[in-house]
Amino acid sequence: MSFRAAAFTLLLVLPLTHVAAQSKELRIGVDRCVELIGIIFKLAGSEEFSPTHLPQYGADIDQFFGAQRNHEAVMLARGLRERYGVGQARVMAIPIRLTDPPELKERVPFDSVSGWPAPAAETRRFVEAARRFAIDSRANDFFTSHRTLYDSVDGRIRPALERAVDLAWFAPYFGIPSDRIFVVVPFLVAAEGNYGPCVQPPSGPRECYSIVGNTQPDSTGYPKYDAGMAGLLVHEFGHGFVNPLGNAHRAEFERSAPRIHALVRAAMDIQSYPWPSMVNESLDHATEARYIVAHGDSVQLRDFYRHQLRGSWFWTEELANLYAQYEANRNAYPTFAAFMPRIIAYFDSLPDRVPAMQARYDELRPKIVSLSIANRSASVDPGLQEMVVRFDRPVRDDGWSVLPVLGPSGPTAESRQRFPTFTWRAVDSTRVPFIIGKGLDAAGTTFRFGLALEQDREYELQLGTPHGYGFRNVSDGVPLAPYRLRFRTRPTNASLQR
C-alpha cells in the first residue's frame, strides 16, 4: 500500500518497489533527513552522535563533510544544544517535521510542538541554515554514493520486523482508534541511542517513529538485524500512546515525580531522563510488560522485570499489575485515559515507598569485600602493576565491568583522561590482553588487571554502571551498585624518600 502523501518525502530513499510490500501501519527505511540532521549535530560536537559500529561510514562522513565544520548550521546546532538542551531525542524531533534535503520544508510547524525547549524562530533559523548546509555540502551526492549501504540496511531490517510486532494490539488496548503510522528508521550516523519521537501532521494520522542506532556489522561490513529488535519497537511504539497521556497530566504527576526522580537520580541521569521523561518511560515500561503478558511469554516477562530493576525502575512490576485492573474493568474504563487517575494516585504513593524498594534490591547486590587500591588514596605507588578486586559472591564475566566514569552521554573527555592504562587481565593463572568487561577468575569472585601508572597523576574509574551493566550475580543477574574508585599516584621523589 502507498505512503500517505503528507509523509511520502520522508522516506524517498526507499525504492518504489518496496512501497507496495509495506503495511499501511508500518514503514521502514533509512531517512536522509534524519541522517543529515544527525551529521550536523555530530559536526557540532554532540557526543551521542559520535560512537559508531560503522567506522567506514563515519570516516566517509568526516571526509565528505569535514570542510563544513564551521558552517552556520553547525554553529547554530551547537547553540541549540548549549542554550536549550537540544540533544538526544530532541535532535531527532527536528527531521521528522521536515521534508527531504535539500528542500527541508517545514511540514509540521515547530510552534505546534508542546514543550519544545527552543523558540520556534531559533529552530527555524537553524533549519534555514541546514538547508544551505545541504546545498553547500552537496549532501545528496553523499547519500547517493551510499545507496548500496542504505538499500542493504533496508533489506536486512525489514524481514526481521514486519512480522515481529503485533501493531494491532496497541490501539484497542488503549481504547482509541487505530490512527497511528509507525515508522522505523535505521540511524547510521551513530550507534548509541534509540529514539521514539511522534509527530502530528496538520492532516493525516499521527506518525510514531522508532529511530534506531546502527548495530554491529556482520562479516560483510553491513549492519545485522534480527527479531530481537521487536522488544525495542514495542517500547518505541508504546511511546506514541502513553506520552500524550503523561504530558496531558504533567501537573498532577508533578506532585510526586520530582521526588521519585531525586531518589533514583544517578540511574535516571545516565539514561537521560528528567522527571517528565521518567513518567512517560514508566508508563511505557508497564505497557511493554502487558504486551508480553498478552503474547504469553512468561520467561521473557521474568527477564524483562529483572532488566527493569537493574535500571532502578523499581516500580515497573507493580505498575504493570495495576494495568491488569484496567484490563479487567473495561466497562468502567473504556479507555486508558479514563484510568489515568488511578495511575496518578499510584505515583502519589511512590515517594515514601521507593527507599524500601531500593533497600530490598540492594540486599541482593554483590558487594566488594576488598580492593587492592584504597579509594581516594593520594599516595599510590606509581610502580604498582596490578589491581585486584574481590567480591562476596560469584559474578558474571560480561558487560561493561570497568570503565571511565560516565556522564549523561557516556564517558566524558575528562574521565577518559583520568582512566588508567590497563595492560592485561588475568584468566586464572594466565595473563591475556586486556578487554573492557573481562577479567574474572574461574570462581567468579576475583578479577586482576595489569596497570601502567604514571607518577603524580590522578586516576578515576567506575566498576559497574547505574543502568545495571557489569558484575551481575551469577544466580539472578542482580548487578553491583556503581562503585567509583579515585586515587592519586605519588611523585617519584616521594617514593624515593620513603
Side-chain angles (χ1 to χ4, degrees), residues 20-34:
Q22 293 184 10
S23 163
K24 67 179 180 180
E25 294 180 314
L26 178 63
R27 301 203 310 264
I28 304 171
V30 175
D31 183 330
R32 287 181 287 159
C33 194
V34 169

mmCIF file with all atom_site columns, all heavy atoms in Angstrom, residues 20-34:
data_model
loop_
_atom_site.group_PDB
_atom_site.id
_atom_site.type_symbol
_atom_site.label_atom_id
_atom_site.label_alt_id
_atom_site.label_comp_id
_atom_site.label_asym_id
_atom_site.label_entity_id
_atom_site.label_seq_id
_atom_site.pdbx_PDB_ins_code
_atom_site.Cartn_x
_atom_site.Cartn_y
_atom_site.Cartn_z
_atom_site.occupancy
_atom_site.B_iso_or_equiv
_atom_site.pdbx_formal_charge
_atom_site.auth_seq_id
_atom_site.auth_comp_id
_atom_site.auth_asym_id
_atom_site.auth_atom_id
_atom_site.pdbx_PDB_model_num
ATOM 1   N N   . ALA A 1 20 ? 5.046  -1.080 -2.097 1.00 0.00 ? 20 ALA A N   1
ATOM 2   C CA  . ALA A 1 20 ? 3.848  -1.907 -2.182 1.00 0.00 ? 20 ALA A CA  1
ATOM 3   C C   . ALA A 1 20 ? 3.840  -3.011 -1.149 1.00 0.00 ? 20 ALA A C   1
ATOM 4   O O   . ALA A 1 20 ? 2.782  -3.472 -0.735 1.00 0.00 ? 20 ALA A O   1
ATOM 5   C CB  . ALA A 1 20 ? 3.741  -2.504 -3.578 1.00 0.00 ? 20 ALA A CB  1
ATOM 6   N N   . ALA A 1 21 ? 5.021  -3.444 -0.713 1.00 0.00 ? 21 ALA A N   1
ATOM 7   C CA  . ALA A 1 21 ? 5.086  -4.574 0.216  1.00 0.00 ? 21 ALA A CA  1
ATOM 8   C C   . ALA A 1 21 ? 4.866  -4.162 1.659  1.00 0.00 ? 21 ALA A C   1
ATOM 9   O O   . ALA A 1 21 ? 4.732  -5.004 2.522  1.00 0.00 ? 21 ALA A O   1
ATOM 10  C CB  . ALA A 1 21 ? 6.445  -5.266 0.084  1.00 0.00 ? 21 ALA A CB  1
ATOM 11  N N   . GLN A 1 22 ? 4.843  -2.847 1.951  1.00 0.00 ? 22 GLN A N   1
ATOM 12  C CA  . GLN A 1 22 ? 4.784  -2.420 3.326  1.00 0.00 ? 22 GLN A CA  1
ATOM 13  C C   . GLN A 1 22 ? 3.352  -2.261 3.805  1.00 0.00 ? 22 GLN A C   1
ATOM 14  O O   . GLN A 1 22 ? 2.466  -1.881 3.069  1.00 0.00 ? 22 GLN A O   1
ATOM 15  C CB  . GLN A 1 22 ? 5.529  -1.098 3.495  1.00 0.00 ? 22 GLN A CB  1
ATOM 16  C CG  . GLN A 1 22 ? 7.026  -1.258 3.272  1.00 0.00 ? 22 GLN A CG  1
ATOM 17  C CD  . GLN A 1 22 ? 7.744  0.039  3.542  1.00 0.00 ? 22 GLN A CD  1
ATOM 18  O OE1 . GLN A 1 22 ? 7.177  0.977  4.053  1.00 0.00 ? 22 GLN A OE1 1
ATOM 19  N NE2 . GLN A 1 22 ? 9.010  0.080  3.190  1.00 0.00 ? 22 GLN A NE2 1
ATOM 20  N N   . SER A 1 23 ? 3.176  -2.527 5.092  1.00 0.00 ? 23 SER A N   1
ATOM 21  C CA  . SER A 1 23 ? 1.889  -2.311 5.724  1.00 0.00 ? 23 SER A CA  1
ATOM 22  C C   . SER A 1 23 ? 1.594  -0.833 5.787  1.00 0.00 ? 23 SER A C   1
ATOM 23  O O   . SER A 1 23 ? 2.488  0.001  5.923  1.00 0.00 ? 23 SER A O   1
ATOM 24  C CB  . SER A 1 23 ? 1.905  -2.897 7.141  1.00 0.00 ? 23 SER A CB  1
ATOM 25  O OG  . SER A 1 23 ? 0.847  -2.375 7.903  1.00 0.00 ? 23 SER A OG  1
ATOM 26  N N   . LYS A 1 24 ? 0.310  -0.496 5.722  1.00 0.00 ? 24 LYS A N   1
ATOM 27  C CA  . LYS A 1 24 ? -0.059 0.911  5.861  1.00 0.00 ? 24 LYS A CA  1
ATOM 28  C C   . LYS A 1 24 ? 0.256  1.418  7.252  1.00 0.00 ? 24 LYS A C   1
ATOM 29  O O   . LYS A 1 24 ? 0.337  2.625  7.486  1.00 0.00 ? 24 LYS A O   1
ATOM 30  C CB  . LYS A 1 24 ? -1.546 1.094  5.565  1.00 0.00 ? 24 LYS A CB  1
ATOM 31  C CG  . LYS A 1 24 ? -2.474 0.432  6.593  1.00 0.00 ? 24 LYS A CG  1
ATOM 32  C CD  . LYS A 1 24 ? -3.928 0.663  6.253  1.00 0.00 ? 24 LYS A CD  1
ATOM 33  C CE  . LYS A 1 24 ? -4.851 0.003  7.281  1.00 0.00 ? 24 LYS A CE  1
ATOM 34  N NZ  . LYS A 1 24 ? -6.277 0.215  6.965  1.00 0.00 ? 24 LYS A NZ  1
ATOM 35  N N   . GLU A 1 25 ? 0.452  0.506  8.223  1.00 0.00 ? 25 GLU A N   1
ATOM 36  C CA  . GLU A 1 25 ? 0.739  0.919  9.596  1.00 0.00 ? 25 GLU A CA  1
ATOM 37  C C   . GLU A 1 25 ? 2.220  0.923  9.923  1.00 0.00 ? 25 GLU A C   1
ATOM 38  O O   . GLU A 1 25 ? 2.616  1.419  10.959 1.00 0.00 ? 25 GLU A O   1
ATOM 39  C CB  . GLU A 1 25 ? 0.023  -0.018 10.580 1.00 0.00 ? 25 GLU A CB  1
ATOM 40  C CG  . GLU A 1 25 ? -1.488 0.059  10.533 1.00 0.00 ? 25 GLU A CG  1
ATOM 41  C CD  . GLU A 1 25 ? -2.108 -0.904 11.534 1.00 0.00 ? 25 GLU A CD  1
ATOM 42  O OE1 . GLU A 1 25 ? -1.650 -2.065 11.579 1.00 0.00 ? 25 GLU A OE1 1
ATOM 43  O OE2 . GLU A 1 25 ? -3.019 -0.494 12.251 1.00 0.00 ? 25 GLU A OE2 1
ATOM 44  N N   . LEU A 1 26 ? 3.060  0.360  9.074  1.00 0.00 ? 26 LEU A N   1
ATOM 45  C CA  . LEU A 1 26 ? 4.475  0.236  9.379  1.00 0.00 ? 26 LEU A CA  1
ATOM 46  C C   . LEU A 1 26 ? 5.302  0.587  8.149  1.00 0.00 ? 26 LEU A C   1
ATOM 47  O O   . LEU A 1 26 ? 5.167  -0.038 7.102  1.00 0.00 ? 26 LEU A O   1
ATOM 48  C CB  . LEU A 1 26 ? 4.805  -1.186 9.834  1.00 0.00 ? 26 LEU A CB  1
ATOM 49  C CG  . LEU A 1 26 ? 6.280  -1.479 10.139 1.00 0.00 ? 26 LEU A CG  1
ATOM 50  C CD1 . LEU A 1 26 ? 6.772  -0.620 11.299 1.00 0.00 ? 26 LEU A CD1 1
ATOM 51  C CD2 . LEU A 1 26 ? 6.479  -2.953 10.459 1.00 0.00 ? 26 LEU A CD2 1
ATOM 52  N N   . ARG A 1 27 ? 6.162  1.597  8.297  1.00 0.00 ? 27 ARG A N   1
ATOM 53  C CA  . ARG A 1 27 ? 7.091  1.978  7.236  1.00 0.00 ? 27 ARG A CA  1
ATOM 54  C C   . ARG A 1 27 ? 8.503  1.798  7.766  1.00 0.00 ? 27 ARG A C   1
ATOM 55  O O   . ARG A 1 27 ? 8.785  2.100  8.928  1.00 0.00 ? 27 ARG A O   1
ATOM 56  C CB  . ARG A 1 27 ? 6.864  3.430  6.793  1.00 0.00 ? 27 ARG A CB  1
ATOM 57  C CG  . ARG A 1 27 ? 5.461  3.712  6.285  1.00 0.00 ? 27 ARG A CG  1
ATOM 58  C CD  . ARG A 1 27 ? 5.456  4.937  5.379  1.00 0.00 ? 27 ARG A CD  1
ATOM 59  N NE  . ARG A 1 27 ? 6.120  6.082  5.965  1.00 0.00 ? 27 ARG A NE  1
ATOM 60  C CZ  . ARG A 1 27 ? 5.485  7.054  6.610  1.00 0.00 ? 27 ARG A CZ  1
ATOM 61  N NH1 . ARG A 1 27 ? 4.176  6.999  6.773  1.00 0.00 ? 27 ARG A NH1 1
ATOM 62  N NH2 . ARG A 1 27 ? 6.158  8.086  7.097  1.00 0.00 ? 27 ARG A NH2 1
ATOM 63  N N   . ILE A 1 28 ? 9.382  1.323  6.930  1.00 0.00 ? 28 ILE A N   1
ATOM 64  C CA  . ILE A 1 28 ? 10.745 1.010  7.347  1.00 0.00 ? 28 ILE A CA  1
ATOM 65  C C   . ILE A 1 28 ? 11.702 1.566  6.309  1.00 0.00 ? 28 ILE A C   1
ATOM 66  O O   . ILE A 1 28 ? 11.528 1.331  5.117  1.00 0.00 ? 28 ILE A O   1
ATOM 67  C CB  . ILE A 1 28 ? 10.958 -0.510 7.489  1.00 0.00 ? 28 ILE A CB  1
ATOM 68  C CG1 . ILE A 1 28 ? 9.938  -1.113 8.463  1.00 0.00 ? 28 ILE A CG1 1
ATOM 69  C CG2 . ILE A 1 28 ? 12.382 -0.820 7.939  1.00 0.00 ? 28 ILE A CG2 1
ATOM 70  C CD1 . ILE A 1 28 ? 9.953  -2.636 8.491  1.00 0.00 ? 28 ILE A CD1 1
ATOM 71  N N   . GLY A 1 29 ? 12.733 2.279  6.744  1.00 0.00 ? 29 GLY A N   1
ATOM 72  C CA  . GLY A 1 29 ? 13.733 2.717  5.792  1.00 0.00 ? 29 GLY A CA  1
ATOM 73  C C   . GLY A 1 29 ? 14.644 3.803  6.316  1.00 0.00 ? 29 GLY A C   1
ATOM 74  O O   . GLY A 1 29 ? 14.260 4.604  7.171  1.00 0.00 ? 29 GLY A O   1
ATOM 75  N N   . VAL A 1 30 ? 15.874 3.837  5.805  1.00 0.00 ? 30 VAL A N   1
ATOM 76  C CA  . VAL A 1 30 ? 16.812 4.901  6.105  1.00 0.00 ? 30 VAL A CA  1
ATOM 77  C C   . VAL A 1 30 ? 16.195 6.224  5.643  1.00 0.00 ? 30 VAL A C   1
ATOM 78  O O   . VAL A 1 30 ? 15.569 6.303  4.589  1.00 0.00 ? 30 VAL A O   1
ATOM 79  C CB  . VAL A 1 30 ? 18.156 4.663  5.399  1.00 0.00 ? 30 VAL A CB  1
ATOM 80  C CG1 . VAL A 1 30 ? 19.102 5.847  5.605  1.00 0.00 ? 30 VAL A CG1 1
ATOM 81  C CG2 . VAL A 1 30 ? 18.796 3.369  5.897  1.00 0.00 ? 30 VAL A CG2 1
ATOM 82  N N   . ASP A 1 31 ? 16.371 7.265  6.457  1.00 0.00 ? 31 ASP A N   1
ATOM 83  C CA  . ASP A 1 31 ? 15.771 8.570  6.201  1.00 0.00 ? 31 ASP A CA  1
ATOM 84  C C   . ASP A 1 31 ? 16.890 9.591  6.012  1.00 0.00 ? 31 ASP A C   1
ATOM 85  O O   . ASP A 1 31 ? 17.662 9.855  6.929  1.00 0.00 ? 31 ASP A O   1
ATOM 86  C CB  . ASP A 1 31 ? 14.874 8.937  7.395  1.00 0.00 ? 31 ASP A CB  1
ATOM 87  C CG  . ASP A 1 31 ? 14.133 10.245 7.219  1.00 0.00 ? 31 ASP A CG  1
ATOM 88  O OD1 . ASP A 1 31 ? 14.657 11.131 6.525  1.00 0.00 ? 31 ASP A OD1 1
ATOM 89  O OD2 . ASP A 1 31 ? 13.045 10.370 7.788  1.00 0.00 ? 31 ASP A OD2 1
ATOM 90  N N   . ARG A 1 32 ? 16.985 10.171 4.822  1.00 0.00 ? 32 ARG A N   1
ATOM 91  C CA  . ARG A 1 32 ? 18.067 11.117 4.530  1.00 0.00 ? 32 ARG A CA  1
ATOM 92  C C   . ARG A 1 32 ? 18.011 12.351 5.419  1.00 0.00 ? 32 ARG A C   1
ATOM 93  O O   . ARG A 1 32 ? 19.042 12.927 5.754  1.00 0.00 ? 32 ARG A O   1
ATOM 94  C CB  . ARG A 1 32 ? 18.019 11.528 3.051  1.00 0.00 ? 32 ARG A CB  1
ATOM 95  C CG  . ARG A 1 32 ? 18.479 10.425 2.107  1.00 0.00 ? 32 ARG A CG  1
ATOM 96  C CD  . ARG A 1 32 ? 18.435 10.904 0.676  1.00 0.00 ? 32 ARG A CD  1
ATOM 97  N NE  . ARG A 1 32 ? 17.058 11.012 0.201  1.00 0.00 ? 32 ARG A NE  1
ATOM 98  C CZ  . ARG A 1 32 ? 16.692 11.759 -0.833 1.00 0.00 ? 32 ARG A CZ  1
ATOM 99  N NH1 . ARG A 1 32 ? 17.599 12.490 -1.475 1.00 0.00 ? 32 ARG A NH1 1
ATOM 100 N NH2 . ARG A 1 32 ? 15.446 11.786 -1.222 1.00 0.00 ? 32 ARG A NH2 1
ATOM 101 N N   . CYS A 1 33 ? 16.814 12.781 5.785  1.00 0.00 ? 33 CYS A N   1
ATOM 102 C CA  . CYS A 1 33 ? 16.707 13.965 6.644  1.00 0.00 ? 33 CYS A CA  1
ATOM 103 C C   . CYS A 1 33 ? 17.240 13.668 8.044  1.00 0.00 ? 33 CYS A C   1
ATOM 104 O O   . CYS A 1 33 ? 17.936 14.484 8.651  1.00 0.00 ? 33 CYS A O   1
ATOM 105 C CB  . CYS A 1 33 ? 15.251 14.442 6.700  1.00 0.00 ? 33 CYS A CB  1
ATOM 106 S SG  . CYS A 1 33 ? 15.056 16.088 7.398  1.00 0.00 ? 33 CYS A SG  1
ATOM 107 N N   . VAL A 1 34 ? 16.918 12.496 8.567  1.00 0.00 ? 34 VAL A N   1
ATOM 108 C CA  . VAL A 1 34 ? 17.449 12.079 9.868  1.00 0.00 ? 34 VAL A CA  1
ATOM 109 C C   . VAL A 1 34 ? 18.972 11.998 9.813  1.00 0.00 ? 34 VAL A C   1
ATOM 110 O O   . VAL A 1 34 ? 19.678 12.463 10.720 1.00 0.00 ? 34 VAL A O   1
ATOM 111 C CB  . VAL A 1 34 ? 16.835 10.729 10.294 1.00 0.00 ? 34 VAL A CB  1
ATOM 112 C CG1 . VAL A 1 34 ? 17.570 10.147 11.495 1.00 0.00 ? 34 VAL A CG1 1
ATOM 113 C CG2 . VAL A 1 34 ? 15.350 10.900 10.617 1.00 0.00 ? 34 VAL A CG2 1
#
